[in-house]
Amino acid sequence: MSEIHKSHPEVGIIPVSRHQPLPVSDQESGLQAQVAKISQAVRKRWLWVSAISVIGIVSVTVYTMTQPRIYQSRMVLLVTDNSSSAAVGLEAGVPTIQGNNLSTEVQILRSSSLIEQALASINDSSLRSSPDEVSSNLSIQQPENTDVLQISLTGTEPEKIEATLNALGTTYVNYSLNSRVSKASKATEFIEDQLPKAQEELNGSANALREFRQSYSLLDLEQFGNTLLQTRQGLEDQIYQAAIALEQTKQQYQVLQSQMAQAGLDPKSSLANAALTEDSGYRDLVNQLRQIDIQYIQERLRYSENNPIVEDLIIQRANVLALLQQRSEKILRRSVSASELAVGTIPSSENSVAQSLNSQLIATQVQLVGQNTQMEGLRYTQNLVAEQFREIPALQQEYAELQRQHQLNSSKYDLFLAKLQELELSQAEEIAPWQILEPPFLPRVPISPKVQQNILLGFLGSLGLGIWVAMLLESLDSRLKDPEEVKALLQLPVLGMIPRIDQPTGTRISVDSTHKLNDYNFSCFTESVRSLAFNLSYLSPKHGAKLLAFTSAIPEEGKSTLTYNLSVTIASLGYRVLLVEADMRKPQMKHYSHKASFPAIVPPFPEHGLSTVLSTNRSWRDCVYKSKTSHFHLLMAGGVPPNPMNLLNSGKMADLMKEWSAIYDYVLIDTPPIAGLTDTQSLATKVDEIILVVSLNSAPRSTVKRAKELLEELGCNIEGVVINRVSSQQQGYYYKYYNSYYQTNNSTENGVLKM
């Protein structure tokens, strides 16, 4: 690659827009950028972070270790009330459990009387606490939808906690047993007092019912009345259904009469009805149907509907109804024959229609007669039932009242007997309704303070506080700390980003590519300088940009080191490069003139430099260091003049710059910082382009902004900005890759530069 650049300096150069930032690294996400800022702040303010973290951890540890050790033990108590007195519903002044709400029981267990009773049962006085202490440290909680109470006690002495909980558990169980026995005893006394009265009332109601039956010779008067009532209701339903059917048949009959009238026929319904009433057989069937209905009502009051006698009457009634239907149809057909129709009034073709209407009319009349007969029979039967119902004396009500009273007295007496047996059995069992499911234990591990947790939280909290303080100090620091801040502040194209390196004294990029370079030369620093050189190659001679001045806002921003290494890199590409050190107040290039790393031809007057050339008639050629292996020349500042600005602003300096521009491909001028000094301002308008070098964590924002404003006020051409001392987290993947690559291959290639 070096041969290509030497013979064709412009081949392989990728031109970059002069007014767009160069893609020197991949864009990082917002989270990665924030993490990088925090990491940078922590590394920069590591003393603050360490001090705050240590102080926080020590404070939390001391506080935790000086706190008293608090222990806790607990037991689980099952609270139920399955006593017989509770089933009877006789509380006898003792509260009973209602569902899962144990708030009353909790208050009872926390009462001072039970606590004092439990403490009094502890034989060892050394394990006995005060009632107030136990009450304040006692916790009773009920899990949701359970009949269980979790009882816990805290304190500083484990043995005393266990002994107190054991005493409380025994006291609570004894209290539940005593409460149960007390309730059962009071309930037993109440039942024994009421039982003779219930026996007397039961005997009285039984005697009254027996005397009533004997007086009126009745077996079951209530069943008789109920059957009669059901029969009346059934008749009412049948009459209602029969009335609906009769009305529908009448409407159908009227429709048929209307159709026959429209056809010019005479139905002669009055003659048909007269024929039915005059027929003796029809009248006999009607009377027979009524007798069957009367007999059915009488037998239905005595027997159920499934009785054979009642079922036989139902069959007889159905047969009579069928005979009545047939008799009616026969009489009507004989009385209203086809010959009686006015046949001569209609054409013979319509006789079939007339006969059809006549048949329908006869069938409807038969149905109507049958329904009228059924309705008359139902109403007749209804009147019979009503008369029998009114004839029933008030005995039924009296009989029903006697039965109800007897049943109440019998149920009351049986209930008292059953509950009395349950209470006697409960008293004999003597089982406490409350049980200890989990007994208390001897606590060995304190619940407070939690040493490990407190120390861990203290460490995390103090570390977080230290990081927060570091970020706060970082935010109060007005210096530029991130490349994005530089871009946002200056709004200039970024020509390159140079990473931060730990450069030993006297190390630099060698101008001799055949010699082994120093330990950092194959890091991302080298690649960053080369990338900057490629970007500046766009300012080749054909573009007319030969004179390039490098300046910064304040001193110590690495401008001279960058300018020197950039000049060496451009010269290694085959270009003729002259580096002019115009910073006469604080020259730095003398550190780069050692022969070990700069094999140069020493000029006749090596102690002289730019100040000598500008103030005397000494030729600049006699003061230039020339590399033996490349086209790199160096003109150092020389001695410190009394007024460097006058020399740089002189006409001779302008003539020299024109001469250099004609001889060299590139002339790089290392100028002093522009802020506070007028040296750079005198040269800014004489060069083709000026490049601003900004070092991170060095210059304040206001100073850098003011430097740009000064350059803009002078009207010079600002090519862009070079960001120096970029951290590894801010370099992006590209330079990280090269740094890792060269570190892993440094041992094999031993630092040999391959172009």
Side-chain angles (χ1 to χ4, degrees):
M1 180 176 177
S2 59
E3 290 80 9
I4 294 177
H5 284 291
K6 288 180 181 179
S7 58
H8 302 285
E10 297 177 5
V11 176
I13 305 301
I14 302 176
V16 181
S17 174
R18 300 177 60 184
H19 302 288
Q20 294 182 359
L22 298 177
V24 296
S25 64
D26 296 333
Q27 297 293 333
E28 296 183 352
S29 64
L31 178 61
Q32 292 175 337
Q34 188 66 23
V35 171
K37 289 182 180 180
I38 296 175
S39 177
Q40 183 179 3
V42 170
R43 288 198 307 272
K44 187 175 180 180
R45 315 284 181 177
W46 66 272
L47 285 177
W48 283 92
V49 176
S50 301
I52 294 176
S53 300
V54 171
I55 293 174
I57 294 174
V58 171
S59 301
V60 171
T61 303
V62 171
Y63 173 80
T64 301
M65 301 308 294
T66 55
Q67 291 297 308
R69 298 296 184 265
I70 305 299
Y71 297 88
Q72 183 185 65
S73 182
R74 73 167 189 172
M75 64 178 176
V76 178
L77 183 66
L78 175 62
V79 181
T80 58
D81 193 354
N82 53 5
S83 63
S84 299
S85 60
V88 176
L90 306 174
E91 290 82 5
V94 180
T96 59
I97 300 176
Q98 300 176 355
N100 291 327
N101 186 8
L102 302 179
S103 57
T104 302
E105 282 67 28
V106 171
Q107 296 300 322
I108 293 175
L109 299 182
R110 294 185 63 89
S111 62
S112 58
S113 60
L114 289 181
I115 294 177
E116 292 176 356
Q117 182 180 350
L119 295 177
S121 64
I122 300 176
N123 298 325
D124 191 352
S125 59
S126 62
L127 300 178
R128 194 178 303 161
S129 303
S130 64
D132 294 337
E133 181 183 355
V134 174
S135 178
S136 60
N137 295 326
L138 183 64
S139 174
I140 303 177
Q141 295 181 349
Q142 176 192 6
E144 187 176 359
N145 298 326
T146 63
D147 290 334
V148 171
L149 293 179
Q150 294 180 350
I151 305 173
S152 60
L153 183 65
T154 57
T156 57
E157 301 179 50
E159 294 80 5
K160 186 179 291 187
I161 294 174
E162 183 186 19
T164 303
L165 278 180
N166 283 323
L168 287 173
T170 303
T171 303
Y172 292 159
V173 172
N174 293 335
Y175 165 77
S176 68
L177 179 60
N178 295 333
S179 298
R180 177 178 179 177
V181 172
S182 176
K183 289 188 290 184
S185 299
K186 293 181 180 180
T188 302
E189 294 176 1
F190 174 79
I191 293 176
E192 290 176 348
D193 181 64
Q194 296 294 326
L195 194 60
K197 298 179 182 179
Q199 178 69 50
E200 184 179 354
E201 292 175 355
L202 178 61
N203 295 335
S205 61
N207 293 332
L209 184 62
R210 183 173 59 256
E211 292 175 359
F212 181 84
R213 288 179 175 176
Q214 292 176 354
S215 299
Y216 298 98
S217 300
L218 295 176
L219 295 177
D220 196 349
L221 185 61
E222 183 178 3
Q223 182 179 0
F224 174 79
N226 292 335
T227 304
L228 188 62
L229 181 61
Q230 293 176 0
T231 303
R232 186 177 68 173
Q233 293 177 352
L235 288 173
E236 291 177 354
D237 294 339
Q238 294 179 16
I239 292 173
Y240 177 75
Q241 298 294 334
I244 294 176
L246 180 60
E247 184 64 26
Q248 293 177 352
T249 305
K250 287 181 179 181
Q251 293 178 0
Q252 183 179 1
Y253 183 74
Q254 292 175 0
V255 170
L256 291 173
Q257 283 183 329
S258 176
Q259 291 178 355
M260 292 186 67
Q262 292 176 359
L265 303 176
D266 184 10
K268 296 182 180 182
S269 59
S270 60
L271 296 177
N273 292 333
L276 287 174
T277 57
E278 292 176 358
D279 186 76
S280 60
Y282 178 81
R283 291 196 304 269
D284 293 340
L285 290 174
V286 171
N287 293 331
Q288 186 179 356
L289 180 64
R290 289 180 179 177
Q291 293 298 325
I292 292 175
D293 288 338
I294 294 173
Q295 189 179 359
Y296 172 79
I297 294 300
Q298 292 176 352
E299 298 299 334
R300 182 67 180 84
L301 295 175
R302 298 174 59 188
Y303 305 108
S304 63
E305 192 171 353
N306 298 327
N307 190 273
I309 299 176
V310 177
E311 292 179 349
D312 184 62
L313 291 174
I314 293 175
I315 295 174
Q316 293 180 15
R317 189 177 187 278
N319 294 333
V320 172
L321 283 176
L323 294 174
L324 188 62
Q325 185 78 8
Q326 296 175 2
R327 186 69 178 177
S328 300
E329 183 177 359
K330 181 178 180 181
I331 294 172
L332 291 176
R333 289 187 180 276
R334 186 174 61 245
S335 61
V336 187
S337 61
S339 61
E340 294 176 336
L341 297 173
V343 179
T345 61
I346 57 176
S348 59
S349 60
E350 298 180 0
N351 287 339
S352 61
V353 177
Q355 292 176 0
S356 176
L357 291 175
N358 184 43
S359 299
Q360 295 181 17
L361 183 63
I362 292 174
T364 305
Q365 286 178 346
V366 172
Q367 184 178 3
L368 189 60
V369 170
Q371 290 178 348
N372 284 326
T373 303
Q374 183 182 6
M375 180 63 72
E376 291 176 0
L378 290 174
R379 292 191 183 280
Y380 180 78
T381 306
Q382 185 183 27
N383 293 333
L384 291 178
V385 172
E387 291 178 2
Q388 292 182 6
F389 196 79
R390 286 191 298 268
E391 290 176 359
I392 296 177
L395 298 179
Q396 183 180 8
Q397 296 181 357
E398 183 179 356
Y399 179 76
E401 180 64 25
L402 290 175
Q403 276 192 327
R404 187 185 66 83
Q405 189 64 37
H406 179 69
Q407 290 178 355
L408 290 177
N409 294 335
S410 178
S411 299
K412 182 178 180 181
Y413 183 77
D414 293 341
L415 179 63
F416 280 148
L417 285 179
K419 298 307 177 184
L420 182 61
Q421 293 177 358
E422 292 179 5
L423 291 173
E424 292 175 351
L425 180 62
S426 175
Q427 290 178 344
E429 292 176 352
E430 294 184 355
I431 299 176
W434 295 0
Q435 301 178 9
I436 298 178
L437 299 181
E438 294 183 11
F441 56 89
L442 179 63
R444 300 186 182 277
V445 179
I447 62 171
S448 177
K450 299 180 179 179
V451 179
Q452 296 180 351
Q453 178 179 339
N454 290 354
I455 293 178
L456 178 60
L457 293 178
F459 170 74
L460 296 177
S462 58
L463 181 61
L465 179 61
I467 294 175
W468 179 82
V469 171
M471 294 298 295
L472 177 62
L473 295 176
E474 195 71 7
S475 63
L476 296 177
D477 189 358
S478 62
R479 293 177 297 178
L480 294 171
K481 297 175 284 295
D482 189 84
E484 297 299 327
E485 296 182 27
V486 178
K487 297 177 185 179
L489 177 66
L490 298 180
Q491 297 294 320
L492 292 174
V494 178
L495 302 177
M497 288 195 294
I498 311 302
R500 173 187 292 274
I501 59 172
D502 297 329
Q503 179 180 354
T505 304
T507 61
R508 64 206 61 78
I509 295 180
S510 175
V511 298
D512 185 2
S513 60
T514 61
H515 286 71
K516 296 180 181 180
L517 305 183
N518 294 292
D519 56 346
Y520 74 97
N521 290 345
F522 288 101
S523 66
C524 56
F525 175 83
T526 303
E527 297 303 325
S528 301
V529 175
R530 288 174 178 171
S531 176
L532 176 60
F534 277 118
N535 293 333
L536 293 179
S537 64
Y538 181 68
L539 306 176
S540 60
K542 69 177 183 179
H543 294 95
K546 290 188 174 183
L547 298 174
L548 303 179
F550 289 79
T551 186
S552 60
I554 62 174
E556 304 296 334
E557 291 200 68
K559 168 179 55 62
S560 299
T561 302
L562 174 63
T563 307
Y564 174 82
N565 288 290
L566 180 61
S567 301
V568 172
T569 302
I570 296 176
S572 65
L573 298 177
Y575 293 100
R576 293 168 297 177
V577 180
L578 173 63
L579 174 58
V580 179
E581 185 180 20
D583 188 356
M584 304 179 188
R585 300 177 185 271
K586 193 176 181 181
Q588 299 292 330
M589 294 300 172
K590 58 185 177 180
H591 300 297
Y592 303 101
S593 60
H594 301 292
K595 294 182 179 181
S597 59
F598 184 30
I601 301 175
V602 180
F605 303 96
E607 70 279 1
H608 295 167
L610 180 60
S611 60
T612 306
V613 174
L614 293 177
S615 59
T616 64
N617 294 327
R618 179 74 62 188
S619 174
W620 63 273
R621 299 178 185 272
D622 297 334
C623 302
V624 171
Y625 285 81
K626 298 179 181 180
S627 174
K628 295 180 180 180
T629 58
S630 66
H631 301 288
F632 172 60
H633 293 177
L634 172 62
L635 178 59
M636 291 188 289
V640 180
N643 193 350
M645 189 272 295
N646 291 337
L647 296 179
L648 296 176
N649 198 30
S650 63
K652 188 173 183 180
M653 182 63 183
D655 295 337
L656 287 175
M657 294 172 65
K658 292 180 181 179
E659 184 179 357
W660 294 336
S661 179
I663 297 174
Y664 294 96
D665 296 324
Y666 286 97
V667 178
L668 276 62
I669 303 177
D670 180 23
T671 64
I674 191 171
L677 298 176
T678 58
D679 299 3
T680 302
Q681 300 178 23
S682 62
L683 289 176
T685 57
K686 295 182 176 65
V687 297
D688 297 330
E689 299 289 347
I690 189 166
I691 298 172
L692 182 62
V693 178
V694 177
S695 179
L696 298 182
N697 299 300
S698 181
R701 296 171 59 91
S702 58
T703 305
V704 175
K705 185 177 181 180
R706 178 55 184 163
K708 178 192 175 186
E709 293 175 351
L710 288 175
L711 294 175
E712 290 177 344
E713 292 173 359
L714 293 173
C716 59
N717 298 324
I718 306 177
E719 174 63 21
V721 62
V722 176
I723 304 176
N724 195 19
R725 296 172 183 169
V726 180
S727 64
S728 59
Q729 288 78 10
Q730 299 167 332
Q731 294 171 27
Y733 172 77
Y734 177 75
Y735 293 126
K736 291 179 183 177
Y737 166 76
Y738 273 100
N739 190 27
S740 174
Y741 176 79
Y742 281 123
Q743 285 179 354
T744 56
N745 290 275
N746 188 33
S747 60
T748 59
E749 298 183 4
N750 201 17
V752 178
L753 178 62
K754 296 183 179 181
M755 299 295 293

